[in-house]
Amino acid sequence: MSLSLNVPGYPKSNPTVHSFFGHCLTELKYYLKAHLVGIMEKEAIERVDDAGDFYIVPCLTGRLSFPEMKQLCEGFEEGHQLGRFVDVDLNDFQGNTISSGKSKMCFFCRVKPAIECRRSNSHGAGEVRSFMFEEMANYCRQQREKLLIKRLSSLGLQALLYEISLTPKPGLVDKFSSGSHADMNFRTFLVSSAAISVWFEDLARAGFSFRGNDLTQALPVIRQIGLRMEASMYESTHNINTQKGIIFLMGLSLFACGKLYSQTDQFDSELFREILRGICKDLTRKELYPVGRSEKSHGEEIYRKYGFSGARGEAETGFRTVFEFGLPQLESSLETDDAVLFKCFLAISSNTNDTNILYRRGPDVLSSFQELCKTALENFNEANYSKVAEFCKSKNISPGGSADLLVVSIFLGSVISADKRKDINPLSLTNDF
């Protein structure tokens, strides 16, 4: 079986064509495997030069006859979005091409059979090539966006699972304890994570598709998806608030990543933070100064009493705590194991004014908690870490804000790591026709 592309004129390959061919080849291999057709990959030949991109491989047809195999080839072409650009041929043991005898329509005019248009030179090679290259480039962009969105969504869920499964955590729900939360447990968080993660792709996609210059207009878009996530969370947990804070922070993170990758080929921390700050511009002033309301939210009450702006303030700074304290801990290790995650949590906890603790116990308890975390980080061992856990238990506090920032740190750390390995960004934005 061979794969090639129907490209008129010369050269028949360039970066756009080669990227498109790569997609087609990957899709063909999955297609063949799904139909139980084996390919002898070690004997495959793949070439690219001015004559075009070409792949040929011996196949193990199993129970399929040659006509049935040919039908599979045609099925792949007909089912592909740009299948008329694609040519999947089948040769028998003597090297003879097996033909179906069917006439294919011209992919440019879509009116006459392709052979008639070729014989009569109905279309100039230049206009056909331009049309084809533009279609291929659009297809590659679509595939790049689709793959990146899925990858970002997967890394988002991975971050949630890393945080909830980290055990033990002081005052927080983990695998073996409910911490300071009598109404929830490890399973509650698993259920909640599954419920909200189905919206992660929507958030990243919204970032990709946002085109306005005023990034503050993105916030209602993010919140609209976030409200659906909250509804899913409450439905799955029977009205228990497990992850409302992380819905807000991960919503911003996924959207900003989508926006960033719509503009560039690699993760840029400064650009990410610039996008985030643009989305959250004046957020504290707009939302923590209640106008005409007698009832105040927890965040508004904390801001009025102590001047601490919580998650909104963190977002408004472009995740200062995450980039200055969380990520450096993750980047200091080659492997993301529990010890590194514990240190990341302690670094965040000792440098953030956790509004969950402030609301429950006030600034003195928060200050003592921060000092214990700082000591445990500077001299990291089981005894010092246990002191943090014992303090949380004695004061019945839960550093939920720090846990949320840990999730964001894990997520961004995994995005940065994947970006460095080049396995998050499958295709370049560059178009070279």
Side-chain angles (χ1 to χ4, degrees), residues 158-364:
Q158 176 181 290
L160 291 184
L161 297 178
Y162 270 32
E163 187 279 325
I164 185 55
S165 61
L166 184 63
T167 303
K169 290 196 299 294
L172 296 160
V173 174
D174 57 36
K175 286 187 287 188
F176 304 128
S177 170
S178 293
S180 302
H181 301 275
D183 59 344
M184 59 187 78
N185 56 33
F186 181 64
R187 190 178 297 276
T188 316
F189 271 84
L190 292 182
V191 169
S192 176
S193 297
I196 68 174
S197 64
V198 298
W199 300 97
F200 284 0
E201 287 192 23
D202 294 61
L203 288 161
R205 188 176 297 109
F208 263 98
S209 60
F210 186 82
R211 292 292 179 265
N213 292 322
D214 183 3
L215 283 169
T216 60
Q217 295 303 308
L219 198 55
V221 176
I222 298 168
R223 282 216 163 109
Q224 188 171 352
I225 301 171
L227 289 169
R228 292 179 178 272
M229 294 168 73
E230 280 187 27
S232 297
M233 176 192 72
Y234 283 125
E235 182 180 2
S236 69
T237 62
H238 305 291
N239 292 320
I240 298 172
N241 175 12
T242 49
Q243 294 169 308
K244 191 171 180 178
I246 202 58
I247 286 173
F248 173 65
L249 294 176
M250 279 298 290
L252 290 170
S253 300
L254 285 161
F255 183 96
C257 280
K259 176 64 176 170
L260 182 147
Y261 278 114
S262 74
Q263 300 173 206
T264 184
D265 279 332
Q266 61 186 25
F267 190 88
D268 184 306
S269 295
E270 282 308 310
L271 178 56
F272 174 86
R273 298 188 69 185
E274 181 183 321
I275 292 169
L276 200 59
R277 286 190 288 259
I279 296 170
C280 301
K281 183 181 179 182
D282 296 329
L283 188 60
T284 299
R285 180 182 60 80
K286 292 175 183 176
E287 298 194 1
L288 293 183
Y289 285 95
V291 178
R293 289 207 315 269
S294 57
E295 285 191 26
K296 298 180 180 64
S297 68
H298 290 178
E300 290 166 350
E301 192 170 330
I302 291 296
Y303 187 72
R304 181 179 61 82
K305 281 185 177 180
Y306 309 113
F308 297 144
S309 51
R312 292 178 180 86
E314 178 71 18
E316 202 171 10
T317 65
F319 291 162
R320 181 191 69 85
T321 305
V322 169
F323 280 91
E324 292 184 13
F325 302 103
L327 284 174
Q329 290 295 326
L330 297 178
E331 291 170 349
S332 67
S333 175
L334 296 176
E335 188 175 346
T336 308
D337 55 20
D338 283 359
V340 171
L341 294 180
F342 286 137
K343 291 178 182 178
C344 183
F345 171 76
L346 292 169
I348 291 169
S349 297
S350 57
N351 289 282
T352 188
N353 294 310
D354 197 305
T355 54
N356 288 271
I357 297 176
L358 274 169
Y359 184 77
R360 281 196 185 192
R361 291 291 183 266
D364 291 340

